[in-house]
Amino acid sequence: MPTMTMTDPYTCPSCSCGQNARTVAVGPPQLEDERPETARERVNRKWNEVLQETRVAQTGISILFGFLLSVAFTSLFGELAGLDRGIYVVTVVLAALATASLIAPVSLHRFLSGLRVKDELVDAAARLMVCGMVLLTICGTLLLILRTAVPSLLAEVLVGGVMVWFGLCWYVLPWMIRRRAGRRR
């Protein structure tokens, strides 16, 4: 956990409120010519990071969801067997849930703007992003596509391998880095 230290107050540079802000030491030690980040600066930085992550994720889920919705209107969709049709339905529902989770931070911001709850907004948005990423990980799009291209068992093995890779990249690696950083503090 970052430690909080109090220093001389100064005028808040992140807005024109003119109020004094307390400085908070977060992250790695500051260089001599850098001042510590204030609590307000930290929450603004975190919010900007969430917005950037949301933009990337929304683009990806929009393309995926659009593709999935268009599949039902192709001539080959009528030829899908029962299992493949079931995979498709589950995949569309999961993609819709992921879409809702990944777009929700925008709605939260719009409805809560000006209420001075940015800390809570950042926490909620981060949780929704993780939820959306989990839903994307278990999304069956790849399985549906591969089952039409290769034998069923090979498709399932390939999808299992891809899901393991997603898990390693999205969850295990960040967890390992976070754990290592925690030991250094």
Side-chain angles (χ1 to χ4, degrees):
M1 290 290 238
T3 58
M4 298 186 69
T5 58
M6 303 298 288
T7 61
D8 293 323
Y10 66 95
T11 302
C12 178
S14 61
C15 70
S16 58
C17 70
Q19 297 179 2
N20 287 337
R22 298 179 197 184
T23 58
V24 179
V26 294
Q30 302 289 320
L31 299 175
E32 285 185 31
D33 61 337
E34 292 182 15
R35 63 177 174 71
E37 186 177 50
T38 67
R40 179 184 213 121
E41 289 170 332
R42 185 183 75 245
V43 75
N44 285 334
R45 176 184 50 80
K46 285 184 170 186
W47 177 246
N48 286 329
E49 290 171 358
V50 165
L51 285 178
Q52 291 301 328
E53 293 165 1
T54 301
R55 286 181 184 119
V56 170
Q58 284 176 347
T59 302
I61 192 62
S62 296
I63 292 168
L64 175 63
F65 196 44
F67 163 75
L68 286 169
L69 292 176
S70 69
V71 167
F73 299 103
T74 65
S75 59
L76 293 177
F77 184 75
E79 298 175 20
L80 282 181
L83 178 61
D84 290 332
R85 195 173 288 260
I87 292 170
Y88 173 78
V89 169
V90 169
T91 300
V92 168
V93 169
L94 290 174
L97 293 171
T99 300
S101 295
L102 295 172
I103 294 175
V106 175
S107 177
L108 284 173
H109 180 260
R110 188 56 29 227
F111 283 106
L112 300 175
S113 182
L115 296 179
R116 299 190 182 275
V117 292
K118 196 176 273 185
D119 278 327
E120 293 86 353
L121 180 62
V122 168
D123 290 342
R127 285 187 175 95
L128 286 164
M129 293 289 294
V130 170
C131 180
M133 289 173 26
V134 168
L135 289 166
L136 280 176
T137 303
I138 58 177
C139 196
T141 308
L142 185 61
L143 180 60
L144 187 64
I145 292 169
L146 288 178
R147 282 180 55 90
T148 62
V150 297
S152 181
L153 181 60
L154 178 58
E156 292 161 7
V157 168
L158 290 172
V159 168
V162 169
M163 286 183 71
V164 166
W165 181 249
F166 269 85
L168 289 171
C169 292
W170 285 6
Y171 306 109
V172 175
L173 181 60
W175 175 78
M176 289 172 56
I177 292 170
R178 183 178 216 159
R179 198 170 131 201
R180 214 174 289 142
R183 279 191 233 140
R184 280 185 272 170
R185 289 184 184 165

